[in-house]
PDB file of all heavy atoms in Angstrom:
ATOM      1  N   LEU A  84      90.422 115.028  81.140  1.00 95.00           N
ATOM      2  CA  LEU A  84      90.558 113.688  81.637  1.00 95.00           C
ATOM      3  C   LEU A  84      90.701 112.671  80.489  1.00 95.00           C
ATOM      4  O   LEU A  84      91.534 111.721  80.598  1.00 95.00           O
ATOM      5  CB  LEU A  84      89.396 113.237  82.560  1.00 95.00           C
ATOM      6  CG  LEU A  84      89.447 111.982  83.246  1.00 95.00           C
ATOM      7  CD1 LEU A  84      90.650 111.773  84.133  1.00 95.00           C
ATOM      8  CD2 LEU A  84      88.229 111.739  84.060  1.00 95.00           C
ATOM      9  N   LEU A  85      89.938 112.846  79.384  1.00 95.00           N
ATOM     10  CA  LEU A  85      90.102 111.984  78.227  1.00 95.00           C
ATOM     11  C   LEU A  85      91.566 112.087  77.688  1.00 95.00           C
ATOM     12  O   LEU A  85      92.072 111.105  77.247  1.00 95.00           O
ATOM     13  CB  LEU A  85      89.068 112.385  77.178  1.00 95.00           C
ATOM     14  CG  LEU A  85      87.648 111.927  77.385  1.00 95.00           C
ATOM     15  CD1 LEU A  85      86.675 112.629  76.388  1.00 95.00           C
ATOM     16  CD2 LEU A  85      87.581 110.420  77.194  1.00 95.00           C
ATOM     17  N   ASP A  86      92.023 113.296  77.693  1.00 93.00           N
ATOM     18  CA  ASP A  86      93.390 113.513  77.165  1.00 93.00           C
ATOM     19  C   ASP A  86      94.437 112.827  78.025  1.00 93.00           C
ATOM     20  O   ASP A  86      95.443 112.288  77.509  1.00 93.00           O
ATOM     21  CB  ASP A  86      93.645 114.989  76.963  1.00 93.00           C
ATOM     22  CG  ASP A  86      94.913 115.328  76.235  1.00 93.00           C
ATOM     23  OD1 ASP A  86      95.083 114.718  75.123  1.00 93.00           O
ATOM     24  OD2 ASP A  86      95.697 116.212  76.685  1.00 93.00           O
ATOM     25  N   ILE A  87      94.277 112.955  79.362  1.00 94.00           N
ATOM     26  CA  ILE A  87      95.238 112.286  80.281  1.00 94.00           C
ATOM     27  C   ILE A  87      95.185 110.823  80.094  1.00 94.00           C
ATOM     28  O   ILE A  87      96.201 110.118  80.011  1.00 94.00           O
ATOM     29  CB  ILE A  87      94.885 112.680  81.691  1.00 94.00           C
ATOM     30  CG1 ILE A  87      95.200 114.169  81.957  1.00 94.00           C
ATOM     31  CG2 ILE A  87      95.613 111.805  82.686  1.00 94.00           C
ATOM     32  CD1 ILE A  87      94.629 114.692  83.210  1.00 94.00           C
ATOM     33  N   LEU A  88      93.983 110.182  80.107  1.00 94.00           N
ATOM     34  CA  LEU A  88      93.815 108.765  80.133  1.00 94.00           C
ATOM     35  C   LEU A  88      94.021 108.092  78.742  1.00 94.00           C
ATOM     36  O   LEU A  88      94.307 106.859  78.711  1.00 94.00           O
ATOM     37  CB  LEU A  88      92.471 108.350  80.754  1.00 94.00           C
ATOM     38  CG  LEU A  88      92.181 108.772  82.147  1.00 94.00           C
ATOM     39  CD1 LEU A  88      90.820 108.404  82.634  1.00 94.00           C
ATOM     40  CD2 LEU A  88      93.261 108.223  83.115  1.00 94.00           C
ATOM     41  N   LYS A  89      93.793 108.879  77.745  1.00 93.00           N
ATOM     42  CA  LYS A  89      93.872 108.330  76.323  1.00 93.00           C
ATOM     43  C   LYS A  89      92.959 107.120  76.190  1.00 93.00           C
ATOM     44  O   LYS A  89      93.371 106.046  75.730  1.00 93.00           O
ATOM     45  CB  LYS A  89      95.378 108.020  75.945  1.00 93.00           C
ATOM     46  CG  LYS A  89      96.207 109.296  76.013  1.00 93.00           C
ATOM     47  CD  LYS A  89      97.350 109.166  75.071  1.00 93.00           C
ATOM     48  CE  LYS A  89      98.347 110.308  75.111  1.00 93.00           C
ATOM     49  NZ  LYS A  89      97.819 111.560  74.817  1.00 93.00           N
ATOM     50  N   ILE A  90      91.734 107.380  76.588  1.00 91.00           N
ATOM     51  CA  ILE A  90      90.694 106.328  76.372  1.00 91.00           C
ATOM     52  C   ILE A  90      89.537 106.918  75.543  1.00 91.00           C
ATOM     53  O   ILE A  90      89.498 108.212  75.369  1.00 91.00           O
ATOM     54  CB  ILE A  90      90.157 105.728  77.700  1.00 91.00           C
ATOM     55  CG1 ILE A  90      89.522 106.794  78.546  1.00 91.00           C
ATOM     56  CG2 ILE A  90      91.260 104.970  78.416  1.00 91.00           C
ATOM     57  CD1 ILE A  90      88.906 106.288  79.835  1.00 91.00           C
ATOM     58  N   THR A  91      88.662 106.131  75.104  1.00 91.00           N
ATOM     59  CA  THR A  91      87.480 106.644  74.277  1.00 91.00           C
ATOM     60  C   THR A  91      86.516 107.322  75.222  1.00 91.00           C
ATOM     61  O   THR A  91      86.383 107.021  76.430  1.00 91.00           O
ATOM     62  CB  THR A  91      86.877 105.489  73.506  1.00 91.00           C
ATOM     63  OG1 THR A  91      86.274 104.528  74.382  1.00 91.00           O
ATOM     64  CG2 THR A  91      87.855 104.828  72.590  1.00 91.00           C
ATOM     65  N   LYS A  92      85.664 108.195  74.588  1.00 93.00           N
ATOM     66  CA  LYS A  92      84.551 108.733  75.299  1.00 93.00           C
ATOM     67  C   LYS A  92      83.603 107.721  75.944  1.00 93.00           C
ATOM     68  O   LYS A  92      83.121 107.910  76.989  1.00 93.00           O
ATOM     69  CB  LYS A  92      83.769 109.764  74.391  1.00 93.00           C
ATOM     70  CG  LYS A  92      84.312 111.138  74.315  1.00 93.00           C
ATOM     71  CD  LYS A  92      83.277 111.937  73.399  1.00 93.00           C
ATOM     72  CE  LYS A  92      83.802 113.370  73.387  1.00 93.00           C
ATOM     73  NZ  LYS A  92      82.833 114.180  72.625  1.00 93.00           N
ATOM     74  N   GLN A  93      83.418 106.686  75.093  1.00 94.00           N
ATOM     75  CA  GLN A  93      82.476 105.662  75.512  1.00 94.00           C
ATOM     76  C   GLN A  93      82.988 104.938  76.786  1.00 94.00           C
ATOM     77  O   GLN A  93      82.191 104.690  77.720  1.00 94.00           O
ATOM     78  CB  GLN A  93      82.258 104.635  74.429  1.00 94.00           C
ATOM     79  CG  GLN A  93      81.479 105.231  73.207  1.00 94.00           C
ATOM     80  CD  GLN A  93      82.387 106.037  72.234  1.00 94.00           C
ATOM     81  OE1 GLN A  93      83.615 106.043  72.385  1.00 94.00           O
ATOM     82  NE2 GLN A  93      81.821 106.665  71.278  1.00 94.00           N
ATOM     83  N   SER A  94      84.262 104.639  76.829  1.00 92.00           N
ATOM     84  CA  SER A  94      84.881 103.986  77.932  1.00 92.00           C
ATOM     85  C   SER A  94      84.811 104.826  79.253  1.00 92.00           C
ATOM     86  O   SER A  94      84.393 104.327  80.241  1.00 92.00           O
ATOM     87  CB  SER A  94      86.312 103.612  77.659  1.00 92.00           C
ATOM     88  OG  SER A  94      86.448 102.700  76.616  1.00 92.00           O
ATOM     89  N   LEU A  95      85.127 106.131  79.041  1.00 95.00           N
ATOM     90  CA  LEU A  95      85.032 107.024  80.144  1.00 95.00           C
ATOM     91  C   LEU A  95      83.601 107.283  80.606  1.00 95.00           C
ATOM     92  O   LEU A  95      83.372 107.280  81.834  1.00 95.00           O
ATOM     93  CB  LEU A  95      85.687 108.394  79.832  1.00 95.00           C
ATOM     94  CG  LEU A  95      85.662 109.406  80.988  1.00 95.00           C
ATOM     95  CD1 LEU A  95      86.390 108.859  82.202  1.00 95.00           C
ATOM     96  CD2 LEU A  95      86.310 110.706  80.574  1.00 95.00           C
TER      97      LEU A  95
END
Side-chain angles (χ1 to χ4, degrees):
L84 185 57
L85 282 168
D86 190 43
I87 290 168
L88 298 177
K89 299 206 184 295
I90 60 175
T91 65
K92 272 186 176 181
Q93 293 81 7
S94 296
L95 179 59

